[in-house]
């Protein structure tokens, strides 16, 4: 294939199941000159309504296709999302595994090559600086994707901790460095028909690429890093693209039955899938145990000792041992949707026990769903509570998440 444009393998290790953490909440908080992904002109040419989000001009919707229609298309067919505003970074070095295991509670040494894990960056109090997906490329190279809304905080944290690490005895076998892949494209192809469509463009057997795995895949003259996973709960893929080819690949991937999809549908899809959004459902005052992310903490890292030496470990272990004071839960709310900030009370005019962090009318379920934190003791499924929606108490029932069953391809 003489026309093949090949990416250097050491340049990229693309994570799985990590797409931008999108929320309409970000629309009202952006200030200053907006950045543009490499697909800005592509979006405008395709009739996108562009809005501010996390410092970028991003598509809310396309043409006259509404949020519910876009949402439903992803659940029943396939949608394509531009998430190129996410921060993509390579970490390399002889001690890179130990470094990243210091920043996170995940077990990365046992992670196979080209496999990803959801993780969290923790502060000294065990609070979540950001949620992230870490992909192991090799024992000396990892690819890390973080949220665009946390760019300054994350990159400053990385810089500070790299300086501390490289000046310490822990780096005696080799220092660690970071390369931020600014300008790289990131596309998410999501939905039950995404695999068949992508398979039509490649000779690579995508059935071998199960959820959580990635590979370099030839796609119509490109050799791109493709990861199976996503932020919708549907089967799908994430595709990383060098800056100069982003528009070409987007055009290639957005033909029938694939439909371009924007921020509106992204938020409702991720909430139905029970996935957290940083700034709504996660923050620096929330530990992974409170957030229901205990599973990202490696079992071999939960006890004090060399393997349990990560930033914030003491606070995390306290919550593991004694239980957290509050827990993230799902709610189905009667009557009207409960939005972020709605107060939650014990039944029959009882005490204040929690707060809603995300809430929508679910297009798939035709019910009002929400994510929230409630005091431990009120967190069991089936528990009835009351939610203050526009100064009226609404009955809500704690419901397991995801609200809509995930359909990842596991082979």
């Amino acid at each position: 294939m003489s026309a093949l444009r090949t990416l250097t393998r050491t340049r990229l290790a693309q994570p799985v199941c990590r797409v931008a953490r999108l929320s309409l909440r970000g629309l009202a908080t952006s200030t200053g000159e907006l950045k543009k992904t490499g697909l800005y002109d592509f979006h405008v040419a395709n009739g996108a309504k562009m809005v501010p989000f996390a410092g970028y001009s991003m598509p809310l919707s396309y043409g006259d296709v509404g949020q519910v229609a876009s949402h439903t298309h992803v659940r029943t067919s396939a949608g394509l999302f531009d998430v190129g505003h996410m921060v993509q970074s390579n970490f390399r070095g002889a001690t890179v595994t130990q470094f990243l295991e210091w920043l996170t509670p995940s077990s990365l040494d046992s992670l196979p090559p080209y496999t990803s894990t959801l993780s969290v960056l923790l502060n000294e109090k065990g609070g979540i600086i950001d949620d992230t997906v870490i992909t192991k490329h090799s024992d000396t190279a990892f690819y890390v994707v973080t949220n665009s809304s946390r760019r300054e905080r994350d990159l400053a944290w990385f810089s500070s901790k790299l300086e501390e690490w490289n000046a310490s005895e822990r780096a005696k076998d080799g220092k660690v460095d970071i390369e931020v892949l600014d300008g790289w494209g990131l596309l998410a192809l999501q939905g039950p028909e995404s695999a068949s469509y992508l398979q039509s463009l490649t000779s690579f057997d995508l059935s071998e690429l199960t959820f959580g795995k990635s590979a370099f895949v030839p796609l119509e003259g490109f050799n791109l890093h493709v990861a199976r996973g996503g932020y919708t709960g549907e089967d799908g893929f994430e595709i990383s693209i060098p800056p100069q080819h982003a528009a070409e690949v987007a055009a290639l991937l957005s033909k029938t039955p694939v439909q371009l999809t924007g921020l509106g549908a992204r938020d409702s899809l991720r909430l139905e899938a029970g996935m957290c959004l940083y700034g709504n459902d996660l923050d620096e005052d929330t530990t992974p145990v409170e957030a229901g992310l205990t599973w990202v903490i490696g079992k071999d890292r939960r006890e004090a000792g060399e393997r349990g030496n990560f930033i914030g470990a003491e606070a995390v272990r306290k919550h593991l041992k004694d239980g957290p004071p509050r827990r993230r839960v799902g709610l189905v709310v009667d009557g009207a949707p409960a939005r972020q900030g709605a107060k939650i009370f014990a039944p029959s005019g009882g005490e204040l026990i929690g707060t809603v962090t995300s809430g929508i009318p679910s297009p798939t379920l035709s019910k009002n769903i929400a994510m929230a934190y409630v005091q431990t003791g009120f967190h069991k499924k089936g528990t009835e509570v009351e939610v203050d929606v526009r100064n009226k108490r609404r009955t809500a029932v704690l419901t397991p998440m995801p609200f809509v069953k995930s359909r990842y391809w596991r082979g």
Side-chain angles (χ1 to χ4, degrees):
M1 190 180 295
S2 60
L4 185 67
R5 286 154 280 191
T6 306
L7 303 182
T8 304
R9 287 179 178 265
T10 57
R11 179 88 166 131
L12 177 66
Q14 171 62 34
V16 175
C17 199
R18 173 62 173 194
V19 216
R21 300 312 195 240
L22 298 175
S23 169
L24 301 189
R25 180 173 178 258
L27 302 183
T29 59
S30 298
T31 58
E33 184 176 353
L34 295 174
K35 299 177 183 178
K36 299 176 181 179
T37 72
L39 293 178
Y40 177 86
D41 292 338
F42 173 84
H43 296 315
V44 172
N46 281 277
K49 178 182 179 181
M50 307 300 290
V51 296
F53 175 79
Y56 280 79
S57 181
M58 297 294 290
L60 176 67
S61 59
Y62 294 84
D64 58 359
V65 181
Q67 175 184 346
V68 172
S70 289
H71 176 114
T72 302
H73 192 82
V74 174
R75 287 274 181 253
T76 58
S77 184
L80 187 70
F81 302 85
D82 174 18
V83 291
H85 62 310
M86 300 296 289
V87 184
Q88 307 174 59
S89 303
N90 281 329
F91 288 81
R92 300 188 185 92
T95 59
V96 67
T97 302
Q98 296 93 320
F99 173 73
L100 290 175
E101 284 192 337
W102 179 48
L103 264 60
T104 77
S106 298
S107 296
L108 302 177
D109 60 341
S110 59
L111 197 66
Y114 289 90
T115 303
S116 302
T117 181
L118 178 68
S119 191
V120 286
L121 302 172
L122 300 180
N123 61 29
E124 289 84 354
K125 297 179 180 179
I128 299 172
I129 294 173
D130 203 358
D131 58 320
T132 179
V133 170
I134 300 175
T135 298
K136 186 175 187 176
H137 204 194
S138 71
D139 289 337
T140 59
F142 286 79
Y143 182 89
V144 177
V145 172
T146 50
N147 286 302
S148 56
S149 64
R150 301 293 286 169
R151 179 187 176 95
E152 288 75 16
R153 173 68 166 117
D154 291 342
L155 293 183
W157 183 255
F158 288 147
S159 177
S160 171
K161 294 307 172 184
L162 279 167
E163 183 177 358
E164 183 179 344
W165 180 270
N166 288 333
S168 73
E169 180 68 15
R170 292 170 293 188
K172 65 180 185 300
D173 294 326
K175 296 183 178 182
V176 179
D177 63 65
I178 182 175
E179 176 192 18
V180 181
L181 300 178
D182 280 332
W184 277 67
L186 187 60
L187 290 170
L189 179 64
Q190 300 283 290
E193 295 187 17
S194 59
S196 60
Y197 181 76
L198 195 62
Q199 189 65 77
S200 71
L201 303 176
T202 181
S203 59
F204 184 95
D205 184 0
L206 294 174
S207 67
E208 298 178 359
L209 197 66
T210 55
F211 176 75
K213 302 293 184 180
S214 57
F216 284 90
V217 174
L219 290 175
E220 298 286 297
F222 299 94
N223 195 42
L224 303 176
H225 197 276
V226 176
R228 198 152 198 166
Y231 192 52
T232 63
E234 296 292 336
D235 184 23
F237 305 86
E238 294 173 339
I239 303 164
S240 287
I241 313 160
Q244 66 272 28
H245 300 312
E248 290 179 82
V249 175
L252 177 68
L253 295 176
S254 57
K255 298 175 182 178
T256 303
V258 180
Q259 190 175 86
L260 293 172
T261 314
L263 293 172
R266 177 48 110 207
D267 196 53
S268 54
L269 287 160
R270 71 93 189 167
L271 186 47
E272 285 187 346
M275 295 184 179
C276 295
L277 171 70
Y278 196 92
N280 281 42
D281 315 303
L282 303 174
D283 58 35
E284 293 209 37
D285 294 318
T286 301
T287 73
V289 183
E290 291 176 309
L293 298 176
T294 300
W295 63 271
V296 309
I297 307 168
K299 292 182 179 179
D300 61 334
R301 311 207 64 209
R302 299 183 185 188
E303 301 295 332
E306 185 176 354
R307 291 294 297 146
N309 182 25
F310 59 87
I311 295 171
E314 185 177 347
V316 169
R317 277 195 285 270
K318 180 175 174 55
H319 278 186
L320 286 172
K321 180 181 178 181
D322 302 334
R326 58 186 185 132
R327 299 173 190 260
R328 182 171 64 93
V329 297
L331 296 171
V332 172
V333 184
D334 288 346
R339 304 296 187 177
Q340 183 189 25
K343 302 300 182 183
I344 302 171
F345 297 87
S348 303
E351 63 179 310
L352 177 66
I353 60 169
T355 305
V356 170
T357 55
S358 294
I360 58 164
S362 165
T364 303
L365 302 175
S366 298
K367 297 178 180 179
N368 299 313
I369 61 173
M371 197 178 292
Y373 282 85
V374 298
Q375 291 178 20
T376 294
F378 292 91
H379 65 282
K380 295 181 180 180
K381 69 177 181 179
T383 299
E384 268 198 14
V385 295
E386 294 180 347
V387 183
D388 188 335
V389 181
R390 300 190 206 94
N391 298 317
K392 182 176 181 179
R393 297 287 179 91
R394 304 279 185 175
T395 300
V397 178
L398 270 66
T399 305
M401 295 183 285
F403 298 101
V404 174
K405 185 178 179 179
S406 298
R407 296 192 285 183
Y408 303 126
W409 172 255
R410 300 187 186 274

